[in-house]
């Protein structure tokens, strides 16, 4: 199981998505100079939770969970490819929900974007690794099918 490079890729996807669930993502500010942090758990002002962002947290958690389950599907490569594609969908939906929360609350609270933290880039790296894992799983399936033709 760990001999395959796609297992390492998927394990890194799990770690990156889990880290994205607990790291700050965006920094916002309003006209008065107050600073707001958007994390996966919510929008914070000075450590106080203002609004919960459960959609972002759930997408990060589900992405990590599906990638973890995907590691153990190594005997069923077609199912493993489907699960990896579902993980890709969850990672993309992580960004959709994050920017939906950003758009809604920045307009509602009069906030502007001050900066982007490293937590926003972790799912992007996870997405690239997940796509590499899909490519390697498909290559394994192709190899197995070619060996079956020889027999």
């Amino acid at each position: 199981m760990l001999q395959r490079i796609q297992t390492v890729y998927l394990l890194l996807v799990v770690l990156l998505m889990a880290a994205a669930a607990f790291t700050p993502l965006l920094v916002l500010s309003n006209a008065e100079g107050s600073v707001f942090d958007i994390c996966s758990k919510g929008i914070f002002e000075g450590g106080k939770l203002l609004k919960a962002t459960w959609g972002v947290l759930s997408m990060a958690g589900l992405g990590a969970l599906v990638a973890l389950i995907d590691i153990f599907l190594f005997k069923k490569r077609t199912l493993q490819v489907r699960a990896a594609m579902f993980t890709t969908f969850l990672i993309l939906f992580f960004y959709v929900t994050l920017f939906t929360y950003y758009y809604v609350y920045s307009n509602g609270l009069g906030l502007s974007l001050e900066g982007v933290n490293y937590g926003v880039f972790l799912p992007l790296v996870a997405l690239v690794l997940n796509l590499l894992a899909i490519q390697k799983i498909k290559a394994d399936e192709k190899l197995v099918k070619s060996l079956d033709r020889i027999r």
Side-chain angles (χ1 to χ4, degrees):
M1 179 173 67
L2 278 175
Q3 300 92 343
R4 301 166 63 213
I5 189 69
Q6 57 265 33
T7 303
V8 176
Y9 290 154
L10 290 170
L11 187 61
L12 288 173
V13 169
V14 170
L15 295 174
L16 288 170
M17 290 306 292
F22 299 107
T23 57
L25 302 171
L26 299 173
V27 179
L28 308 171
S29 68
N30 62 7
E32 291 86 35
S34 298
V35 177
F36 299 85
D37 292 320
I38 294 183
C39 299
S40 292
K41 295 177 269 185
I43 299 176
F44 294 90
E45 179 185 19
K48 181 183 172 195
L49 180 67
L50 294 178
K51 303 282 183 181
T53 56
W54 291 105
V56 179
L57 181 62
S58 63
M59 289 303 114
L62 280 174
L65 181 65
V66 172
L68 182 65
I69 292 169
D70 198 16
I71 291 172
F72 298 103
L73 295 174
F74 61 94
K75 290 184 180 180
K76 302 174 184 174
R77 284 173 297 280
T78 55
L79 183 60
Q80 192 177 26
V81 168
R82 288 183 186 158
M85 287 185 182
F86 185 62
T87 304
T88 301
F89 171 74
L90 289 173
I91 293 170
L92 293 174
F93 205 64
F94 171 87
Y95 283 113
V96 169
T97 55
L98 173 66
F99 291 113
T100 300
Y101 279 115
Y102 163 71
Y103 180 75
V104 168
Y105 289 128
S106 66
N107 287 341
L109 299 173
L111 303 175
S112 62
L113 183 65
E114 284 293 316
V116 178
N117 287 327
Y118 67 95
V120 171
F121 301 110
L122 295 177
L124 185 63
V125 175
L127 179 65
V128 170
L129 290 171
N130 195 46
L131 293 174
L132 287 172
I134 291 170
Q135 181 183 11
K136 294 296 182 180
I137 295 166
K138 286 181 178 180
D140 274 359
E141 182 65 19
K142 184 178 176 184
L143 177 66
V144 168
K145 284 184 180 181
S146 71
L147 291 175
D148 283 343
R149 279 193 301 261
I150 293 173
R151 282 193 252 167

